[in-house]
Amino acid sequence: MSFVEYSEFIQEGDVAIIFLGHDSMMPIKVQQGAQTQTRYGVIRHSKDLIGQRFGTKVTCSKGGWVYVLHPTPELWTLNLPHRTQILYTTDIANITMMLELKPGSVVCESGTGSGSLSHAILRTIAPTGHLHTVEFHQQRAEKAAEEFREHRVGHLVTVRNQDVCKEGFGVTGVADAVFLDIPSPWEAIQHAKSAMKKQGGRVCSFSPCIEQVQKTCEALAGQGFEEISTVEVLLRVHEVRSITLPLPDFGPDKPLETPTDTRIPSNASVLCKTTTPPREMAGHTGYLTFATKPRIHCLFYLQFVYFGLIMWI
Amino acid sequence: MFEFDHPTVLFYNSLSRRLDATTWNEPIRVDYGERLIHLLSTICPERILNAKETQASTWVYVVGDISYFSILLFLLGILNECYSGSYKSSLLFSWLSSQKIRRETVLMADNEDDDSQQRVNEGDYVVLKRGDIYKAVQIQKKKKTVFEKQWFFLDNAVGELYGTTFEVVSGGTLQPRKPKHVEHAADAKEAGTDNRHILDDGKSQKLTRDDIETLKEQGLKGQEIVQQLIENSTTFRDKTEFAQEKYIKKKKKKYENSVMVLRPSCRILAMMYHGREPGKICHLRYDTLAQMLTLGNIHAGSKVLVFETCAGLVLGAVMERMGGYGSVVQMYPGGGPVRAGVESFGFPPHFNETLHEFPIQHVNALLAGTLDTDAKDIDAGRSPTSEGQEKKVRMEEKRKKLAAAAVLLQGRNADGLVIASRFHPCPVLLGLIKFLAPSRPFVVYSQYKEPLIECYTKLREQGGAVSLRLTDSWIRHYQVLPNRTHPVLLMSGGGGYLLSGTTVTTDTPKVNTEPTSVEEPAAKRVKLEEETE
């Protein structure tokens, strides 16, 4: 098992997702001799999991059954331990496409947070890309790095514990894309720009508040970014239902000729398959601001290099 | 410490699988090897000055003395061997990572520029852009290209860098526009406070239609025409600053005849198709496509089945996400696979090796085990003419392709299934889901909701899938300007519906009320044999 490669069978040390039904899931770490309690009873890792195929039905001690699923970044997003607010799959999907991520992309991200987006990025850029992720909270950075190793994607990611607004991403001129999810993204735009390849790339900033978006857009325009565009994306879930609609009885439309004539009985109804919206849904997550860094033209670029040299000397 | 004048240059030769170091003065062009950058950025990202990949070579400029790298390279050499055999090298990786050296000032130094891969070549598939309008074209010399009611030749784009903006000048030739600072047309800021004195009498513009045409014929550039329009507008000065800005933007859009040449990507092509020809892609909106790729967990190294009638956009998007690793099987209806859109992505040739195709009319035969891919063509013997020979060769190729795809499908262990078509999604999904391994995601797009409701219901009855979700995506664009931030006035009313889920095993000791689909098609089998003969 790895978050960037499927495997058929469950092995010791794997992360597996226990599907309990009705969108209820829990992540577990498979260990020889370990046990996991579920509402359907105990799962014994050695007997019930190790060597089994992902996707199989496992019968728990109380007789109930669950499915064991192969982890994917999407399942992980739904199951990960929250250390911060996290990004959900709807936003992640759009970020991935709009940043033009693909195998081989080099990506800078800040902050790492709980690693929800990081896992999705890693999945997409593997096996030849690299993620440089910056988190200013030491404990969170350490936890994330540990998680990446456990999920066998450690070789694709560098976690740095620093403040992106002050110290940047720790790399220069290597990134195809930069993602910012920090309280004041406008302070990191300069660093984002210098982290990116000189032939340009894409940048995205996620902010819950419109005031943040305004400042970010101003900073992006000021730094010469192009195609600045802000969007909001929501997922609408349609719950499939079978509903029964009673039919009204208006009585016979003409006098009945014979008393045996068939007419709709007053308790008649129609069964239909339809969908209903959930009673409540996520109405706002954040605004996504995207922009393109144009290629640096030679003249500007040389100036930049000379400036760098002077600074270094 | 190190001498900046002579930093180390690392290079990687994929033919001899050799890594080596030299000094800065003599960068050596070596064979394509993208892994080096990746390996180094893991072990000592701080030391990378710059990394470059071209089709022919990989160069990495690093900070540090040569002896350090000599040791490192020895280890990398071993590592690289391990690396190609999947990720068994994680132990070595973590050891190397722990050897991280202290952070040093990172400088970018890249004076001799190699942009050969960044330049437009003849035959490249590119995307033309003006404002929000995109068009995918192939660069062909002396070929008239029509874009936004304007025609021109793309000859001059050859050799220029991707991302260059061109001005269309007389005779339809392109002229690269020099990067210059944005000029503000109205430098002397003179603006009204509100619109109480502005009348809509159609008399504010002194230039007539004919005057503007004359200006155009005189060869005035878009920018100059806009300037003329402003000077000849009696009300421009009375407009508020915001209104002036809007006026300029509007006129610029109308009169500017610049065009940008871009490298194609899934983002650009999805937006282009949605804007230009939504009918061709079953009205699949770009954000919905984004959901599909993510919900389908499309990634390098997996085996993905794609069934689409979206001109190849979905197939291309999947292939882009796979990056040429793993395999994609296009399940196609009718006579042959439609994939014009895949070409527009401009993939390197080796991507085609990962693309397979399988006609859906053979699906039942394959499932029943009656698909005979070894059989020689029946009428092979009676066509001695050269035309017949040619046909025979083609038939043979087709058969080989079919056999290759059949092998991929036979194991019923595909890692993903993506459906986006104008067909009823229900039979498509129920037919193709059988090829998926357990615990793998699938995603079905339909422009309409009701067929997906049916899909959902059938799948629930049949079993074999969990986490079923019927969703649609809502997207709203924003205008963000100082003191004028609000949602854009028009928005898309809908981008289609998705049904997504994860497969699970159906073979279970527990009693199942429904017979499993695997045993079912006994009756169909007979029919299928007739078809294949």
Side-chain angles (χ1 to χ4, degrees):
Chain A
M1 182 268 356
S2 147
F3 273 67
V4 295
E5 209 171 17
Y6 282 119
S7 30
E8 200 176 343
F9 297 102
I10 305 166
Q11 287 173 318
E12 157 112 47
D14 280 0
V15 173
I17 309 289
I18 303 293
F19 183 85
L20 301 153
H22 298 287
D23 286 342
S24 166
M25 286 180 270
M26 59 193 277
I28 57 161
K29 200 175 167 201
V30 179
Q31 276 164 324
Q32 200 83 42
Q35 294 190 347
T36 300
Q37 283 292 341
T38 71
R39 70 170 99 110
Y40 302 115
V42 158
I43 300 170
R44 286 176 188 83
H45 293 201
S46 313
K47 182 175 134 286
D48 299 331
L49 299 180
I50 294 173
Q52 294 292 318
R53 214 171 172 198
F54 278 107
T56 46
K57 196 182 255 190
V58 171
T59 310
C60 304
S61 62
K62 285 184 193 163
W65 44 262
V66 298
Y67 286 109
V68 197
L69 301 182
H70 194 289
T72 65
E74 288 60 55
L75 288 173
W76 184 246
T77 292
L78 296 172
N79 289 290
L80 56 83
H82 284 221
R83 300 183 283 269
T84 55
Q85 260 298 356
I86 63 158
L87 277 159
Y88 288 95
T89 299
T90 314
D91 286 317
I92 290 173
N94 281 282
I95 291 164
T96 311
M97 180 191 264
M98 293 298 167
L99 286 183
E100 304 190 336
L101 304 188
K102 55 189 178 194
S105 299
V106 177
V107 186
C108 289
E109 174 205 36
S110 187
T112 316
S114 306
S116 170
L117 175 67
S118 316
H119 279 85
I121 293 176
L122 288 166
R123 174 264 317 274
T124 305
I125 64 172
T128 49
H130 199 81
L131 173 67
H132 297 273
T133 183
V134 172
E135 169 62 53
F136 67 0
H137 190 285
Q138 193 192 341
Q139 214 184 349
R140 284 207 289 265
E142 283 165 6
K143 193 79 189 116
E146 187 190 319
E147 249 173 34
F148 294 138
R149 277 194 300 275
E150 256 178 37
H151 296 165
R152 291 165 202 155
V153 290
H155 58 293
L156 295 167
V157 56
T158 309
V159 184
R160 290 186 178 82
N161 176 214
Q162 61 194 47
D163 184 350
V164 72
C165 296
K166 297 202 170 69
E167 297 152 273
F169 289 97
V171 284
T172 310
V174 297
D176 296 290
V178 173
F179 176 79
L180 295 169
D181 179 7
I182 51 172
S184 49
W186 55 93
E187 290 176 14
I189 299 296
Q190 172 96 57
H191 296 298
K193 194 179 172 184
S194 66
M196 290 165 92
K197 282 182 180 160
K198 81 170 165 41
Q199 57 260 39
R202 296 276 294 167
V203 64
C204 174
S205 169
F206 174 91
S207 298
C209 305
I210 200 76
E211 290 81 1
Q212 294 170 302
V213 173
Q214 286 177 333
K215 284 189 186 173
T216 308
C217 285
E218 246 172 277
L220 284 167
Q223 290 285 335
F225 281 84
E226 291 170 359
E227 284 187 290
I228 303 167
S229 113
T230 301
V231 296
E232 193 184 8
V233 197
L234 297 174
L235 192 73
R236 286 193 293 209
V237 177
H238 305 266
E239 284 163 10
V240 179
R241 294 259 183 284
S242 282
I243 54 156
T244 316
L245 298 174
L247 295 171
D249 180 12
F250 291 114
D253 57 350
K254 52 188 172 192
L256 296 174
E257 279 155 23
T258 58
T260 55
D261 222 0
T262 50
R263 47 168 288 218
I264 301 164
S266 57
N267 61 351
S269 62
V270 168
L271 181 81
C272 46
K273 279 271 174 197
T274 184
T275 65
T276 58
R279 209 171 66 82
E280 269 185 334
M281 62 177 267
H284 180 66
T285 53
Y287 301 102
L288 293 170
T289 300
F290 298 98
T292 304
K293 181 197 160 188
R295 143 185 289 280
I296 303 174
H297 289 281
C298 290
L299 267 176
F300 292 122
Y301 187 65
L302 279 178
Q303 277 172 11
F304 178 61
V305 170
Y306 289 140
F307 181 70
L309 274 174
I310 292 161
M311 290 293 284
W312 182 75
I313 293 161
Chain B
M1 263 322 263
F2 54 89
E3 289 281 310
F4 183 67
D5 293 337
H6 302 282
T8 317
V9 180
L10 299 179
F11 64 92
Y12 167 71
N13 188 318
S14 63
L15 285 184
S16 58
R17 299 192 146 274
R18 209 166 73 102
L19 284 150
D20 215 340
T22 179
T23 45
W24 174 260
N25 298 341
E26 291 175 275
I28 301 165
R29 198 178 274 268
V30 288
D31 284 281
Y32 187 69
E34 63 208 352
R35 290 196 189 114
L36 177 62
I37 296 171
H38 160 58
L39 290 169
L40 277 174
S41 58
T42 312
I43 295 151
C44 51
E46 301 88 351
R47 285 182 177 245
I48 299 180
L49 284 177
N50 192 17
K52 266 193 304 195
E53 281 175 68
T54 66
Q55 213 138 28
S57 56
T58 301
W59 291 328
V60 184
Y61 297 91
V62 286
V63 181
D65 61 316
I66 201 159
S67 58
Y68 170 82
F69 285 106
S70 303
I71 303 164
L72 195 63
L73 283 177
F74 172 69
L75 293 167
L76 277 175
I78 307 165
L79 188 57
N80 195 50
E81 290 295 330
C82 311
Y83 184 83
S84 36
S86 201
Y87 311 122
K88 285 171 193 138
S89 51
S90 53
L91 250 179
L92 208 54
F93 253 115
S94 50
W95 183 81
L96 281 168
S97 302
S98 68
Q99 301 299 301
K100 264 187 190 167
I101 4 88
R102 76 192 152 76
R103 198 151 287 150
E104 287 156 7
T105 325
V106 179
L107 277 174
M108 244 169 111
D110 177 16
N111 26 27
E112 39 83 54
D113 205 345
D114 184 70
D115 274 323
S116 59
Q117 244 205 328
Q118 305 300 325
R119 291 189 191 276
V120 179
N121 290 310
E122 197 180 345
D124 277 9
Y125 287 91
V126 302
V127 178
L128 307 178
K129 177 180 190 277
R130 178 184 294 163
D132 297 331
I133 316 284
Y134 297 98
K135 186 179 184 178
V137 293
Q138 190 182 18
I139 301 271
Q140 283 169 310
K141 287 212 169 163
K142 294 189 184 107
K143 184 159 185 287
K144 223 180 220 185
T145 308
V146 181
F147 180 50
E148 285 289 277
K149 295 175 197 154
Q150 199 176 29
W151 59 265
F152 45 80
F153 296 96
L154 287 165
D155 299 40
N156 286 354
V158 176
E160 296 292 336
L161 294 165
Y162 274 102
T164 306
T165 305
F166 296 90
E167 203 81 52
V168 182
V169 294
S170 57
T173 48
L174 294 184
Q175 209 174 63
R177 193 160 72 181
K178 298 279 170 295
K180 57 182 174 189
H181 293 288
V182 187
E183 293 163 37
H184 287 287
D187 275 337
K189 284 282 179 205
E190 201 179 327
T193 47
D194 54 41
N195 63 7
R196 74 179 77 189
H197 300 301
I198 294 181
L199 299 173
D200 181 18
D201 55 4
K203 289 179 193 159
S204 54
Q205 183 54 254
K206 291 278 178 288
L207 291 181
T208 62
R209 188 72 245 164
D210 292 343
D211 293 339
I212 298 169
E213 284 304 316
T214 323
L215 288 177
K216 271 193 192 169
E217 276 162 30
Q218 283 169 4
L220 250 65
K221 295 238 175 76
Q223 182 86 27
E224 292 157 338
I225 292 176
V226 175
Q227 191 61 42
Q228 288 287 324
L229 285 171
I230 291 167
E231 278 164 21
N232 286 288
S233 165
T234 52
T235 49
F236 186 79
R237 288 173 179 200
D238 299 330
K239 286 179 191 285
T240 63
E241 228 172 282
F242 292 165
Q244 287 181 350
E245 211 174 286
K246 209 168 160 182
Y247 180 86
I248 294 170
K249 203 178 154 197
K250 215 166 94 186
K251 295 298 174 197
K252 231 178 171 173
K253 202 176 166 189
K254 190 164 175 190
Y255 293 104
E256 241 185 0
N257 47 6
S258 60
V259 58
M260 201 183 222
V261 176
L262 295 172
R263 199 186 278 285
S265 73
C266 167
R267 166 183 74 100
I268 291 171
L269 293 174
M271 292 178 88
M272 179 193 84
Y273 270 109
H274 185 256
R276 295 177 73 89
E277 307 165 297
K280 270 197 180 167
I281 54 163
C282 306
H283 298 260
L284 170 68
R285 204 172 55 201
Y286 40 91
D287 56 316
T288 311
L289 177 60
Q291 302 296 326
M292 291 175 75
L293 297 170
T294 298
L295 291 173
N297 192 21
I298 307 302
H299 64 273
S302 44
K303 185 199 292 182
V304 181
L305 308 191
V306 179
F307 180 84
E308 65 129 291
T309 57
C310 297
L313 173 70
V314 176
L315 181 65
V318 168
M319 286 170 72
E320 185 185 279
R321 286 288 176 91
M322 312 255 308
Y325 302 91
S327 41
V328 186
V329 186
Q330 181 183 14
M331 310 295 288
Y332 65 90
V338 178
R339 49 171 84 136
V342 177
E343 282 198 340
S344 307
F345 280 82
F347 292 130
H350 72 268
F351 274 52
N352 286 327
E353 290 159 28
T354 64
L355 177 59
H356 300 82
E357 60 209 39
F358 191 83
I360 51 165
Q361 70 252 35
H362 290 324
V363 162
N364 282 331
L366 182 68
L367 285 168
T370 54
L371 183 72
D372 189 7
T373 52
D374 300 326
K376 284 275 171 280
D377 200 6
I378 303 160
D379 58 357
R382 56 176 171 90
S383 45
T385 57
S386 68
E387 199 185 299
Q389 277 293 328
E390 227 171 77
K391 197 182 168 198
K392 201 175 143 190
V393 170
R394 257 183 290 141
M395 291 295 281
E396 180 64 15
E397 260 172 34
K398 209 175 167 192
R399 189 193 60 77
K400 268 187 190 159
K401 269 183 173 174
L402 184 73
V407 168
L408 284 170
L409 294 170
Q410 252 152 9
R412 297 196 187 188
N413 58 357
D415 297 317
L417 172 62
V418 176
I419 298 168
S421 77
R422 57 188 160 74
F423 287 79
H424 196 302
C426 209
V428 181
L429 176 64
L430 296 185
L432 298 184
I433 203 169
K434 295 165 189 163
F435 293 110
L436 281 184
S439 193
R440 297 293 187 270
F442 59 88
V443 54
V444 191
Y445 166 83
S446 173
Q447 195 187 336
Y448 315 102
K449 188 165 72 171
E450 287 69 18
L452 289 180
I453 297 178
E454 200 184 319
C455 255
Y456 181 101
T457 314
K458 285 255 173 71
L459 214 49
R460 261 286 155 83
E461 285 167 13
Q462 182 184 302
V466 294
S467 291
L468 288 181
R469 264 222 304 192
L470 179 53
T471 59
D472 83 303
S473 167
W474 177 98
I475 189 165
R476 182 137 94 172
H477 291 258
Y478 282 77
Q479 165 184 300
V480 182
L481 287 171
N483 297 316
R484 284 156 292 167
T485 299
H486 59 70
V488 173
L489 301 184
L490 278 177
M491 69 180 277
S492 158
Y497 298 86
L498 290 179
L499 177 67
S500 59
T502 305
T503 55
V504 287
T505 47
T506 43
D507 46 291
T508 159
K510 293 263 169 217
V511 189
N512 226 344
T513 44
E514 290 285 323
T516 51
S517 54
V518 189
E519 292 133 24
E520 194 202 287
K524 279 184 195 162
R525 228 172 263 174
V526 184
K527 210 172 90 196
L528 282 162
E529 275 166 356
E530 288 163 13
E531 247 179 57
T532 42
E533 269 158 24

